[in-house]
């Protein structure tokens, strides 16, 4: 048997537990009857997310076509993964913006840092010699030397480049968190551009951090393109919207009343509630 640690995990109940149930009374009598039940404690209405009958009046009412399309099942899992990626992109973007600011401040304090470097490097050399380490050949020392010898224009270009990359990561984070389709396209395109560079860095010198970042980025691209049907994949946006709308509890109940009517109303959602 295949090991599936989350096979009993109910994404619908998790979301209802955090955000509360979503109930709605459609104006269509037959459809409303399928969503309502009379009990000893009064009327109950079926939650559009988890399907549980909730005591009390519904939270909303109106035509079924105006009801919010509530994310259910796999759609909730997709939303969780997208927001996890959004947090990762947001943290990375903030670090890059901070790095850009650090490079900018370094350019203005280069002479002071040069004196510090020239003072403390000789003090560390005897310890490094005892350990058998060529201090001048280590990565950090070589990087500092390159930065100290770089021209002002070079550091300015690096600052602008790092800042632009950080802004792109923050834009991806916002789009993914809001689960907007434009954000998904920005995330896929923006991440794919840097994958060849990540491959080159791993070939030059692989570290566990580089490998983890590479795997996460490849996973993000493949997952978003496949599940969101970007670039026309698997029917494109129309098929994606039809799939999401088809999982709506209202559409399921409407199709049970009249399959032709349920198919006819399989259109993009009016609103989406996680």
């Amino acid at each position: 048997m295949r090991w599936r640690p989350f096979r009993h995990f109910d994404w619908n109940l998790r979301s209802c537990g955090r955000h509360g149930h979503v109930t709605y009374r459609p104006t269509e009598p037959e459809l409303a009857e399928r969503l309502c039940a009379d009990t000893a404690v009064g009327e109950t209405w079926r939650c559009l997310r988890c399907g549980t009958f909730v005591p009390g009046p519904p939270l909303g009412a109106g035509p079924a076509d105006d009801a919010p399309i509530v994310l259910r099942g796999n759609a909730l899992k997709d939303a969780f993964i997208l927001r996890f990626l959004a947090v990762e992109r947001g943290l990375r973007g903030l670090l890059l913006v901070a790095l850009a600011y650090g490079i900018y401040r370094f350019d203005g304090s280069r002479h002071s840092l040069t004196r510090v470097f020239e003072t403390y490097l000789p003090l560390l050399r005897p310890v490094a010699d005892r350990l058998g380490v060529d201090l001048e050949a280590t990565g950090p020392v070589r990087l500092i030397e390159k930065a100290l010898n770089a021209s002002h224009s070079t550091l300015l270009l690096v600052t602008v480049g790092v800042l632009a990359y950080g802004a792109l990561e923050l834009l991806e984070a916002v789009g993914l968190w809001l689960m907007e389709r434009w954000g998904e396209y920005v995330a896929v395109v923006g991440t794919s551009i840097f994958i060849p560079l990540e491959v080159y860095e791993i070939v030059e010198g692989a570290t566990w951090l580089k490998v983890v970042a590479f795997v996460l980025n490849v996973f993000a691209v493949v997952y978003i393109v496949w599940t969101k049907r970007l670039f026309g994949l698997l029917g494109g946006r129309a098929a994606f919207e039809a799939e999401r709308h088809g999982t709506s509890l209202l559409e399921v109940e409407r199709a049970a009343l009249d399959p032709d009517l349920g198919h006819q109303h399989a259109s993009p959602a009016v609103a989406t509630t996680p």
Side-chain angles (χ1 to χ4, degrees), residues 51-86:
T52 303
F53 281 94
V54 182
L59 297 178
D65 289 338
D66 295 338
I69 299 300
V70 183
L71 297 183
R72 305 177 68 217
N74 287 333
L76 285 173
K77 180 184 68 175
D78 292 342
F80 176 83
I81 294 176
L82 286 182
R83 287 185 168 172
F84 170 80
L85 294 174

Side-chain angles (χ1 to χ4, degrees), residues 3 21 29 34 52 66 111-112 119 122 125-126 134 138 140 149 183 199 229 232 247 262 267 269:
W3 184 62
H21 296 289
R34 296 182 67 90
T52 303
D66 295 338
H111 296 298
S112 299
T119 300
R125 187 173 289 110
D134 186 359
T138 58
N149 294 325
V199 173
R229 303 172 186 254
T247 60
S267 56

Side-chain angles (χ1 to χ4, degrees), residues 23-65:
T23 53
Y24 188 85
R25 176 172 55 203
T27 54
E28 295 84 348
E30 293 184 352
L31 189 55
E33 186 178 352
R34 296 182 67 90
L35 298 177
C36 181
D38 292 325
T39 66
V41 296
E43 66 174 2
T44 61
W45 287 88
R46 197 174 180 189
C47 174
L48 299 183
R49 181 186 294 117
C50 67
T52 303
F53 281 94
V54 182
L59 297 178
D65 289 338

Side-chain angles (χ1 to χ4, degrees), residues 12 14-23 47 49 54 59 273-274:
N12 299 323
R14 171 190 174 274
S15 188
C16 284
R18 292 188 59 191
H19 305 291
H21 296 289
V22 181
T23 53
C47 174
R49 181 186 294 117
V54 182
L59 297 178
T273 303

